[in-house]
Amino acid sequence: MPLSRYELKRLALTPRTAYRRRRHRDLEPLARQLLETALYGQSMYDFMDAVAAKPDLLTDVPIGDDGVALDLGAYIGEWSKAVATRFGCSVYAFEANPSTAEKAAKRLAALPRVTVFPYGVGTTDEIVELSRDGPGSSIYGGNGEFGHVEVQVRDIVTVLHELGLDEIDVLKVNIEGAEYDVLDRLIAADWLPRIGTLSVQFHEWHPKAHPRRKRIRSALRATHEEAWDYPWVWELWHRRLDSVAE
């Protein structure tokens, strides 16, 4: 089987990665983990510098206390807590991993306008296997460092209908490879004009990541403007005023 574009890139960058790993061996564990995930690429360095200069970079979003935010891939609830506390808005947090969903529920229990859903979202309702790898846990494979578990995934469009939502003020997406299917599903259902702000992390290791990200970004440009982009780390899009859904 031929190597993917990401695998070829990983091989080509092996010397650089080894050099930078040694150079930054004294960094604290979280910073090292972030750099490892990004193959010690410049985008991650730039992103880390941006967060150092502006610690609330990922939660500095336009939303009021009457707004609705969705946190897809809530993990243990840090983003949901920060946004709900800062803006007083409603937050729907989704986390497929049972152990981290439980931690998120406990962390967010004191915030009455935050609801945690212990399942993931995708293009259909199904039960899938999740490889448990901490923040990198994915239904698209992995090392399974902490084992594997069957989890529930639900169709994102059905979920939005059940929640009675006509639009979303802020959509944050960090779902370890599932972002491509979810965003393609939202595009097909004509949901993009109903999303005020999109914060998304695209994962380069996913099969056909480059063409799929390119197509999604092309669709986004029809309704949104890119606020900032650290490729394969995080990017932020705001809906244009002339694209507001009627």
Side-chain angles (χ1 to χ4, degrees):
M1 180 180 296
L3 296 177
S4 68
R5 180 171 176 174
Y6 175 74
E7 290 168 332
L8 289 171
K9 177 180 177 180
R10 192 180 186 95
L11 283 173
L13 294 179
T14 296
R16 188 196 73 177
T17 300
Y19 167 74
R20 290 183 174 177
R21 184 181 291 126
R22 290 193 301 272
R23 180 184 175 190
H24 297 298
R25 60 181 177 271
D26 295 329
L27 284 177
E28 56 95 13
L30 178 58
R32 285 204 314 273
Q33 181 184 19
L34 291 173
L35 288 169
E36 284 284 345
T37 301
L39 305 179
Y40 290 82
Q42 189 59 47
S43 289
M44 182 58 79
Y45 286 101
D46 292 343
F47 174 74
M48 292 170 69
D49 287 344
V51 170
K54 186 177 182 180
D56 64 349
L57 180 68
L58 289 176
T59 57
D60 187 16
V61 290
I63 190 170
D65 59 8
D66 59 344
V68 174
L70 263 66
D71 185 356
L72 307 187
Y75 193 49
I76 59 173
E78 299 104 320
W79 187 90
S80 289
K81 182 177 181 179
V83 170
T85 301
R86 179 177 178 182
F87 300 107
C89 58
S90 297
V91 180
Y92 297 114
F94 296 81
E95 174 54 47
N97 190 334
S99 59
T100 47
E102 182 178 356
K103 291 177 182 177
K106 290 180 180 178
R107 176 189 288 260
L108 301 168
L111 297 169
R113 300 194 68 188
V114 179
T115 306
V116 178
F117 297 90
Y119 55 80
V121 292
T123 61
T124 188
D125 294 347
E126 58 183 334
I127 302 297
V128 299
E129 183 176 82
L130 178 81
S131 295
R132 299 174 64 187
D133 292 295
S137 297
S138 176
I139 64 173
Y140 293 96
N143 296 325
E145 182 179 355
F146 304 106
H148 300 81
V149 63
E150 288 191 339
V151 299
Q152 182 183 21
V153 172
R154 301 207 53 216
D155 173 25
I156 179 64
V157 174
T158 299
V159 169
L160 295 176
H161 176 73
E162 291 176 354
L163 291 174
L165 297 178
D166 293 320
E167 66 175 60
I168 302 166
D169 294 282
V170 178
L171 176 62
K172 170 255 183 184
V173 184
N174 183 14
I175 46 181
E176 304 303 319
E179 64 273 9
Y180 300 101
D181 287 346
V182 166
L183 291 174
D184 280 344
R185 176 76 171 112
L186 291 173
I187 291 168
D190 199 28
W191 252 94
L192 284 193
R194 294 186 268 172
I195 299 171
T197 293
L198 172 66
S199 173
V200 57
Q201 183 177 89
F202 287 106
H203 293 81
E204 192 177 11
W205 51 260
H206 193 275
K208 300 182 179 179
H210 283 262
R212 294 190 74 179
R213 176 177 180 258
K214 184 177 180 179
R215 287 196 300 269
I216 290 169
R217 285 170 54 85
S218 178
L220 277 166
R221 290 190 188 97
T223 52
H224 290 65
E225 291 182 350
E226 181 184 276
W228 47 257
D229 175 27
Y230 300 94
W232 307 111
V233 181
W234 278 103
E235 54 194 80
L236 187 74
W237 296 76
H238 295 309
R239 181 176 55 193
R240 297 197 311 269
L241 292 179
D242 61 358
S243 298
V244 176
E246 295 180 359

